[in-house]
């Protein structure tokens, strides 16, 4: 069985997971989440590659790279760029690989400015509010495509 490639893209401040506001974002690090996804991905026949950047253009480039690499799907936690980035909206619309928007917390229970998602306007779906498990749920959804 050939493994299908899934890109997992993480935006600004997610490199601070485990230290940053654990009451909101949990105590797991991004490396912890990556290890969990790699293990679950193998069980699902998926090959997971993780990236993180605090720079919007890197996320745009990786969306394009995912498409060019023939990725089966992209999981995208764009962090604060979720609520501000028309560039990410356009990048998602420019690729055919389905994008699943991922959030550790539920943006709709937080500040008003977090209620609008530019990413969500182009994503196939959104999984939010389940902490690190949000990533696993998104990976399982991607396996069904």
């Amino acid at each position: 069985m050939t493994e299908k490639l899934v890109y997992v893209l993480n935006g600004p401040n997610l490199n601070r997971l485990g230290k940053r506001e654990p009451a909101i974002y949990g105590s797991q690090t991004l490396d912890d989440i990556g290890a969990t996804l790699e293990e679950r991905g193998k069980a699902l026949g998926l090959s997971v590659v993780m990236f993180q950047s605090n720079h919007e253009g890197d996320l745009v480039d990786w969306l394009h790279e995912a498409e060019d690499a023939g990725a089966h799907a992209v999981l995208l936690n764009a962090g604060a760029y979720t609520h501000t980035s028309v560039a990410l909206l356009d990048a998602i619309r420019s690729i055919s690989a389905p994008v699943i928007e991922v959030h550790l917390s539920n943006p709709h229970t937080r500040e008003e400015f977090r209620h609008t998602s530019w990413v969500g306007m182009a994503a196939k779906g959104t999984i939010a509010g389940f902490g690190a498990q949000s990533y696993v749920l998104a990976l399982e959804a991607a396996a069904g495509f």
Side-chain angles (χ1 to χ4, degrees):
M1 169 171 76
T2 303
E3 289 186 339
K4 297 175 183 175
L5 181 63
V6 176
Y7 272 54
V8 181
L9 308 180
N10 297 280
N13 300 307
L14 291 164
N15 57 309
R16 304 293 297 164
L17 288 180
K19 299 175 184 174
R20 175 186 177 214
E21 301 180 272
I24 295 173
Y25 300 108
S27 59
Q28 288 190 304
T29 67
L30 196 56
D31 286 342
D32 295 335
I33 293 169
T36 299
L37 290 177
E38 187 174 326
E39 181 180 323
R40 184 68 183 126
K42 284 181 184 176
L44 294 168
L46 302 172
S47 178
V48 174
V49 292
M50 291 265 298
F51 297 98
Q52 187 280 325
S53 180
N54 294 319
H55 305 282
E56 182 179 32
D58 289 342
L59 297 169
V60 170
D61 289 343
W62 289 329
L63 284 162
H64 297 167
E65 180 182 310
E67 177 77 2
D68 294 344
H72 178 71
V74 176
L75 311 186
L76 174 60
N77 183 343
Y81 291 136
T82 298
H83 318 291
T84 64
S85 181
V86 174
L88 286 175
L89 168 67
D90 288 348
I92 294 165
R93 286 182 172 164
S94 80
I95 67 173
S96 61
V99 174
I100 301 175
E101 178 183 26
V102 178
H103 296 287
L104 295 161
S105 67
N106 181 349
H108 296 287
T109 64
R110 300 185 61 201
E111 303 93 340
E112 183 72 28
F113 73 87
R114 295 185 196 275
H115 297 184
T116 298
S117 170
W118 292 95
V119 168
M121 291 177 193
K124 181 169 182 69
T126 300
I127 298 179
F130 297 99
Q133 187 67 15
S134 292
Y135 284 89
V136 176
L137 294 169
L139 188 66
E140 291 172 349
F145 297 157

